[in-house]
Amino acid sequence: MFNLTTEELQTKQALTTATEIYQQPEVWQELVKNLMAKKESMQSFLNMILSKHEQVRVIFTGAGTSAFIGDIVAPVLQKENLDKLSFESIPTTDIVSNPDYYLQKDKPTIMVSFARSGNSPESVASVALGEQKIIDFYQVVISCNKDGQLAKNSKDDKNSIILLTPDKAHDQGFAMTSSFSSMMLTAYAFFAPTSFYNNEMMNHLISNGERIVSKVADVIDEILDFDFTRLVYLGSGPLAQLSHEAALKMLELSAGKVVAVHESTLGFRHGPKSILNEQSLVVMFLSSDPYTRKYDLDMLKELSSEDSGMKVIVLTEKEEEKALTAEADWVIAVNDSESSFDSDFYLSLLYVIFAQALALKKSIQLGITPDNPSPDGRVNRVVKGVTIYPN
């Protein structure tokens, strides 16, 4: 996997993380089958809620990577203009510390909790606060762990539904990879089933995912010849939110040795661009939307015109965009099929594989152990040390 043997990955304590990145297309395929089997019960649960209320607020919540899922999915679903539903993304860390800012008593609310383990104290506390403060409160638990506290607490609640990812998505490595993409797909399937169960789109996603995990290491090995110590991820709309997750993967797996930041394409000029120096690597997630893409390409031209010694990587959908080659040091196309994706949502799932694999291989290059990049316990796979106070 990723141009390393199983023995090498074991020696470098990277096998678990590498496997969990590599297996994602296979996990997605299993996930689609599982969700198809639950399609009717999911729709019935949502219809039950919509039949009772004129307008329903949907809060996507989680902490860290789990929170970023909501950040990406919320604008995608808002664009789908689903009747009676409005979507927001609010981290559990904000809900727990400031519940009265975010939980509204008289607004019917579906809280969608994303949780790899389901045992994070903020996740459990956010649900308890929702039940306490909101009159018409409903819950969708999207988790990778059937034995987690979130799943257990909602098991016999008629106002809750539990959606579990395949067992393989319950990542055992430090960083969330399979769990991230699987929970993101599950949320989309629940609220936009017509789009999700488009066989053509899902087949393209899975086949291109298989190609990327098999080949992306070749270009990553070239990139790693450039000794970068700063990494910037840029994107627009949902891809700006994806850049947050991409930067976190590098920060986590490099144990902070690579300064990794994120920003929106247009926001980058407004101060954050100050971070660039001769040891910077900039990764641009190009949008498939023709209008949005104009702004992405303007930033690409601006970066390529600078003589700072930094390097620029562009992730885009199609390989035929050769004009990009003159502007970037590397151009990575994620869709080699004739058909195009109809949303940046699908591109985000392919783009993130690159970010995960880059973080993995940079971690190994730095001599860090990706499966446990923080052996001193400074940060943990499931957060520790949180005190939940009564409200």
Side-chain angles (χ1 to χ4, degrees), residues 138-191:
Y138 307 93
Q139 187 186 183
V140 178
V141 176
I142 300 179
S143 181
C144 306
N145 182 16
K146 66 181 184 299
D147 298 318
Q149 198 61 50
L150 266 183
K152 287 180 178 178
N153 288 356
S154 57
K155 191 173 182 182
D156 298 316
D157 181 3
K158 63 181 175 57
N159 288 331
S160 298
I161 187 170
I162 305 166
L163 304 177
L164 296 171
T165 64
D167 289 342
K168 283 185 178 180
H170 187 195
D171 297 325
Q172 298 304 302
F174 178 85
M176 290 176 61
T177 53
S178 287
S179 52
F180 169 79
S181 60
S182 298
M183 289 194 287
M184 196 159 88
L185 279 167
T186 302
Y188 191 63
F190 184 82
F191 289 104

Side-chain angles (χ1 to χ4, degrees), residues 131-286:
E131 292 172 332
Q132 173 188 328
K133 292 180 173 292
I134 300 170
I135 295 172
D136 295 300
F137 180 78
Y138 307 93
Q139 187 186 183
V140 178
V141 176
I142 300 179
S143 181
C144 306
N145 182 16
K146 66 181 184 299
D147 298 318
Q149 198 61 50
L150 266 183
K152 287 180 178 178
N153 288 356
S154 57
K155 191 173 182 182
D156 298 316
D157 181 3
K158 63 181 175 57
N159 288 331
S160 298
I161 187 170
I162 305 166
L163 304 177
L164 296 171
T165 64
D167 289 342
K168 283 185 178 180
H170 187 195
D171 297 325
Q172 298 304 302
F174 178 85
M176 290 176 61
T177 53
S178 287
S179 52
F180 169 79
S181 60
S182 298
M183 289 194 287
M184 196 159 88
L185 279 167
T186 302
Y188 191 63
F190 184 82
F191 289 104
T194 303
S195 301
F196 178 80
Y197 295 109
N198 180 327
N199 288 335
E200 184 181 8
M201 287 296 106
M202 287 307 301
N203 288 340
H204 287 331
L205 176 69
I206 292 166
S207 63
N208 280 296
E210 290 170 343
R211 180 181 60 84
I212 292 167
V213 295
S214 298
K215 296 183 177 180
V216 73
D218 293 338
V219 67
I220 287 175
D221 287 344
E222 287 182 25
I223 293 165
L224 290 177
D225 287 337
F226 174 58
D227 185 23
F228 63 93
T229 59
R230 299 183 180 186
L231 175 62
V232 179
Y233 278 102
L234 301 176
S236 299
L239 297 177
Q241 306 306 323
L242 178 72
S243 71
H244 200 169
E245 167 61 10
L248 179 62
K249 284 289 100 44
M250 181 60 75
L251 196 63
E252 287 178 325
L253 293 184
S254 73
K257 289 187 178 180
V258 175
V259 177
V261 300
H262 70 283
E263 187 51 84
S264 67
T265 300
L266 283 177
F268 192 49
R269 294 186 181 93
H270 293 261
K273 197 179 173 195
S274 304
I275 195 173
L276 296 178
N277 65 9
E278 69 281 357
Q279 288 185 294
S280 297
L281 182 67
V282 180
V283 181
M284 295 197 65
F285 295 142
L286 259 61

Side-chain angles (χ1 to χ4, degrees), residues 293-339:
R293 194 180 181 84
K294 291 176 182 178
Y295 293 102
D296 293 338
L297 292 176
D298 281 352
M299 176 53 71
L300 176 59
K301 289 174 185 175
E302 184 175 318
L303 291 170
S304 67
S305 68
E306 296 187 10
D307 186 23
S308 65
M310 67 177 176
K311 301 290 185 183
V312 179
I313 303 169
V314 168
L315 274 82
T316 187
E317 180 172 1
K318 295 284 191 175
E319 185 140 355
E320 61 254 23
E321 297 161 304
K322 296 294 185 185
L324 296 173
T325 307
E327 308 286 354
D329 296 282
W330 294 276
V331 178
I332 300 169
V334 298
N335 181 8
D336 70 346
S337 59
E338 292 183 10
S339 299

Side-chain angles (χ1 to χ4, degrees), residues 94-106:
D94 287 346
I95 292 172
V96 168
S97 59
N98 294 274
D100 293 333
Y101 282 97
Y102 301 110
L103 303 179
Q104 298 175 32
K105 177 181 178 180
D106 298 319

